[in-house]
Amino acid sequence: MDWLNTEVAEKWRSEGKRYASQINAFVHQMLQGEHPDESELTDDARDSISHKVINMVQQANLQDDVERLRVELPAATWPLSNHFQDSMQPVQAVCYLNEDTVLCNTGLFSNLGQVYTLDQRGWWRSPDDTFAGCSSNGDYVALANGEGVRVLRKPGRRLEGEQVAFYRWEGIQNQIKAVLPEVESLVDSVHPEWKLEKLIPLDQGQKLLLQSQYGIYLIEQEKVTILHPDVAEIVEHGFEVTLISMGHAAVSVDDRWIAWGSQMSSHIVLDRETNTMYEVQPESSYPHCVTFSGDSEVVWFNACHFYNGVTIQVHLANIVSSEQEEQWPIMDENARVYAMVETEEGMVIGDAYGYLYCINREGQELWRHFVGSTIYSLAVSAGKSKLAVGTYGGMLHILDLHSESMDEYGIGTGTLREQERYIMWREQDPLRW
């Protein structure tokens, strides 16, 4: 039986084109310095048929007819939000294992954590692991389960590769407890793998940066260094728990630099070569996100205030030479940023309103692109041809960075074109769209 309802599909396409055209015209007017009346925008009417559309997406997947699906029912998130909010969840695009295969996490901060690889052949779910991370150069992958974290060198699509290290939770927790015996921390978590936010192997997998709800740690086989919150401050102020809010951390591609922060901190940068720590004051209220450039020469920090924020660029050479500027260059002064990643053109930042912005090192916006839901994560392929975007709407978007033109359903100012996406909702198998 054919899965396609042609009448509903035609309505979906027609309204999608109309809505995209209207929003694009509005955005272009704003960028040209005009002041269009937002009240003249009409709502996207596709939400009224969203249940029928999702049913067709499911049936097309069962019949392995995904290419036809994308033609007949171009993918969209916004029209689904009203009816499927309870199914949506953040999707963490970890990295590309090769030019086509994306590694990602779902079920974050719960006992439903899943690790997937996805590419043109479909999806594969790890039977054993609940969380994954990747080194900044993409060569090493960290996989966590109830026993600990194993680090593999250049694994394949089914995460099979040379194991270079294994870190047992028992050893990690004992070493943390030795430093903070009376303070609630990751030690007190029966399932520490459920508290993870990021894992970054470094030094060929012989060290591991671990970011969790209970703080940020540098893990070695015989030593754990508590990076954040600061141990001296914990002791001085008598803190009873190491819980942090809006925690974030990054490692430079050359492994020399580590940067981190949280809601109540400054931006912190550690030079591992000299073991020197630097503090950078945020330009907005709450430090929120950090990433390094591919050449390890600059670090970008975002600090937020409600759903807005300010992003700055810090030249690491200036920190080392003590030529710190009174005010670091502002790259963007609007976006609350959850994720950033560098492409060939510039740094791509993803904001709370569902927009991607590409900004070069001079602070010039090169393009923007709307994906439809608050952006949680970004990953770029090694050849810089593809961008994976994970959102709070439970979607994993695969965007073509080398496309010559945007499709007629896209919203933005650039030429990005979505190749495909996956719906990765709670307690459901992924659906290709």
Side-chain angles (χ1 to χ4, degrees):
M1 188 174 89
D2 191 15
W3 55 267
L4 181 65
N5 182 322
T6 55
E7 182 179 346
V8 171
E10 172 57 34
K11 182 177 179 180
W12 180 267
R13 292 194 303 271
S14 175
E15 178 62 8
K17 290 178 187 178
R18 182 206 65 78
Y19 183 73
S21 176
Q22 184 182 52
I23 297 299
N24 281 326
F26 182 86
V27 170
H28 280 286
Q29 283 181 286
M30 289 199 331
L31 292 176
Q32 291 170 4
E34 300 177 29
H35 301 282
D37 186 354
E38 190 171 353
S39 65
E40 295 181 0
L41 295 174
T42 53
D43 291 338
D44 188 337
R46 287 176 289 176
D47 69 322
S48 63
I49 56 174
S50 61
H51 278 98
K52 294 179 180 178
V53 168
I54 286 299
N55 182 62
M56 284 190 277
V57 172
Q58 293 169 336
Q59 292 304 312
N61 271 260
L62 288 173
Q63 297 180 34
D64 195 22
D65 202 6
V66 178
E67 287 189 17
R68 183 182 175 211
L69 169 67
R70 282 191 62 80
V71 173
E72 299 285 355
L73 290 167
T77 300
W78 191 256
L80 310 176
S81 299
N82 289 336
H83 301 288
F84 296 97
Q85 193 67 46
D86 290 343
S87 297
M88 294 178 175
Q89 63 177 341
V91 176
Q92 187 176 55
V94 176
C95 66
Y96 272 85
L97 299 178
N98 52 52
E99 201 61 24
D100 297 310
T101 306
V102 183
L103 175 67
C104 76
N105 296 317
T106 63
L108 305 173
F109 319 127
S110 74
N111 63 343
L112 301 175
Q114 300 283 353
V115 174
Y116 292 92
T117 61
L118 311 100
D119 54 30
Q120 289 294 316
R121 290 175 286 177
W123 57 269
W124 177 83
R125 179 172 53 228
S126 170
D128 304 313
D129 305 304
T130 58
F131 191 88
C134 187
S135 62
S136 298
N137 64 8
D139 286 345
Y140 296 88
V141 167
L143 298 167
N145 59 25
E147 295 182 1
V149 181
R150 58 194 173 103
V151 179
L152 306 181
R153 181 179 179 275
K154 294 186 175 180
R157 185 175 184 268
R158 292 181 176 269
L159 301 178
E160 298 168 340
E162 175 193 0
Q163 181 169 309
V164 298
F166 181 67
Y167 304 90
R168 293 190 179 277
W169 288 124
E170 181 181 7
I172 293 171
Q173 291 177 311
N174 286 341
Q175 291 168 57
I176 296 172
K177 188 173 183 178
V179 179
L180 295 172
E182 304 298 328
V183 180
E184 182 182 342
S185 68
L186 196 63
V187 172
D188 300 280
S189 197
V190 177
H191 291 281
E193 72 276 15
W194 297 353
K195 306 297 181 182
L196 296 175
E197 296 177 311
K198 191 174 288 186
L199 291 172
I200 308 176
L202 60 161
D203 295 352
Q204 293 78 50
Q206 300 311 303
K207 294 185 178 64
L208 180 70
L209 186 72
L210 186 155
Q211 176 192 322
S212 74
Q213 294 174 311
Y214 276 106
I216 300 167
Y217 307 84
L218 183 60
I219 310 295
E220 303 173 56
Q221 288 296 350
E222 304 299 329
K223 180 182 179 182
V224 173
T225 302
I226 303 171
L227 298 178
H228 187 66
D230 181 72
V231 172
E233 291 185 4
I234 294 172
V235 174
E236 178 182 353
H237 299 290
F239 294 154
E240 296 180 351
V241 62
T242 64
L243 280 172
I244 58 175
S245 180
M246 299 184 190
H248 51 279
V251 177
S252 63
V253 174
D254 63 4
D255 285 348
R256 174 178 173 178
W257 307 89
I258 301 177
W260 66 84
S262 69
Q263 182 177 20
M264 302 308 294
S265 75
S266 301
H267 301 308
I268 307 297
V269 182
L270 171 65
D271 182 353
R272 298 180 64 225
E273 191 172 277
T274 63
N275 198 31
T276 305
M277 196 174 297
Y278 303 92
E279 187 174 351
V280 177
Q281 293 304 313
E283 289 291 335
S284 188
S285 302
Y286 307 112
H288 195 247
C289 185
V290 61
T291 199
F292 288 92
S293 61
D295 59 13
S296 302
E297 291 184 0
V298 300
V299 59
W300 289 45
F301 288 106
N302 175 264
C304 69
H305 185 76
F306 295 106
Y307 265 63
N308 298 98
V310 179
T311 301
I312 61 174
Q313 177 182 253
V314 176
H315 287 264
L316 296 167
N318 291 351
I319 290 183
V320 173
S321 63
S322 299
E323 295 176 5
Q324 182 166 338
E325 305 169 25
E326 291 184 6
Q327 185 175 9
W328 298 102
I330 292 176
M331 299 292 102
D332 176 82
E333 50 187 345
N334 295 302
R336 173 183 175 130
V337 178
Y338 287 83
M340 298 185 274
V341 71
E342 192 175 55
T343 66
E344 291 174 332
E345 294 181 278
M347 191 69 75
V348 176
I349 66 176
D351 81 352
Y353 294 102
Y355 268 96
L356 300 168
Y357 299 87
C358 184
I359 302 170
N360 64 21
R361 293 197 188 180
E362 287 69 50
Q364 176 187 6
E365 180 185 318
L366 304 180
W367 51 258
R368 64 179 65 180
H369 188 85
F370 183 65
V371 297
S373 177
T374 296
I375 293 161
Y376 184 75
S377 60
L378 296 169
V380 66
S381 62
K384 302 294 192 295
S385 69
K386 296 180 181 180
L387 180 67
V389 184
T391 73
Y392 277 90
M395 300 287 183
L396 179 71
H397 307 253
I398 307 300
L399 304 180
D400 180 3
L401 291 171
H402 292 168
S403 171
E404 295 182 357
S405 63
M406 186 171 59
D407 66 57
E408 55 193 341
Y409 303 94
I411 295 174
T413 63
T415 61
L416 276 73
R417 182 182 290 261
E418 183 173 292
Q419 293 182 328
E420 70 172 333
R421 77 169 67 180
Y422 285 86
I423 302 175
M424 308 190 75
W425 288 348
R426 289 189 177 93
E427 300 183 58
Q428 300 180 28
D429 286 340
L431 293 169
R432 296 181 70 183
W433 192 358

